[in-house]
Amino acid sequence: MANSKQHRYANSFKHEVCQYYEHHTRNDTEAKYDVAGKTISIWRRELGYRNKFFGHNIYTEAMQPTFKRRERRDFMVTKKDNAFLLNEINDLKSRMKAKDLDSAWLKDKLHQIADAIKIMEV
C-alpha cells in the first residue's frame, strides 16, 4: 500500500516493528523490516512506546528513584504552616510559664500553711 510520496503501513505492522525493536538493535530492525530508523522512532512515539537513547537503559528505569520537583506554592503553604506552628509553640510556652507560676504560688502557699500548722502544734 503506497502512495506517490510515502508508504502507508497498517497499525499492526507498526506495532510489530516497535515490539521487535524493543529487544533488538536499530540496525537489525531496519534490515528486517526495511524501514528507516527515524520512521521507527516516530512510530514508537506516536504509538506510546519508549524510544531508546544512547546510554539510557529503559529496563532499569523502573528501579530508579523518582524525584518530584517541589512547587513554589507548596513551599509557601509550608511556610504558613510553620508560622502557625511557631505561634502555637509560643502560646504553649506562655501557658506553661503561667502554670509554673501558679504551681510555684501554690507550693509557696502550702509551705506557709505547713509552717503555720507547725507553729500551732508547738
Side-chain angles (χ1 to χ4, degrees):
M1 298 182 351
N3 66 16
S4 61
K5 292 187 179 182
Q6 65 183 9
H7 294 283
R8 295 196 181 240
Y9 298 98
N11 278 340
S12 60
F13 178 76
K14 292 178 183 179
H15 279 289
E16 182 182 338
V17 172
C18 292
Q19 288 172 358
Y20 183 83
Y21 180 58
E22 191 76 27
H23 302 289
H24 296 84
T25 65
R26 178 181 225 153
N27 292 338
D28 291 343
T29 308
E30 288 176 0
K32 181 174 181 174
Y33 292 102
D34 193 30
V35 176
K38 188 171 184 174
T39 305
I40 296 170
S41 296
I42 291 170
W43 288 351
R44 288 178 65 82
R45 186 176 58 244
E46 288 175 353
L47 297 174
Y49 291 92
R50 297 292 313 260
N51 276 326
K52 295 181 182 180
F53 298 102
F54 180 76
H56 177 73
N57 189 348
I58 61 175
Y59 300 109
T60 61
E61 182 176 292
M63 293 186 279
Q64 299 298 323
T66 57
F67 295 102
K68 184 177 179 183
R69 190 173 180 184
R70 183 167 52 171
E71 297 177 11
R72 184 164 176 80
R73 192 184 118 234
D74 290 340
F75 180 75
M76 297 304 288
V77 170
T78 304
K79 199 171 183 181
K80 288 178 185 176
D81 288 343
N82 283 342
F84 173 74
L85 292 174
L86 285 174
N87 188 24
E88 284 289 316
I89 290 171
N90 289 333
D91 186 37
L92 290 173
K93 282 181 182 178
S94 64
R95 286 184 188 177
M96 288 294 291
K97 285 180 185 176
K99 296 285 183 189
D100 287 342
L101 289 175
D102 289 344
S103 173
W105 181 80
L106 285 172
K107 188 176 181 180
D108 186 45
K109 282 294 185 184
L110 287 174
H111 283 293
Q112 289 175 3
I113 293 169
D115 290 340
I117 291 173
K118 285 181 186 177
I119 292 173
M120 292 174 124
E121 290 178 353
V122 177

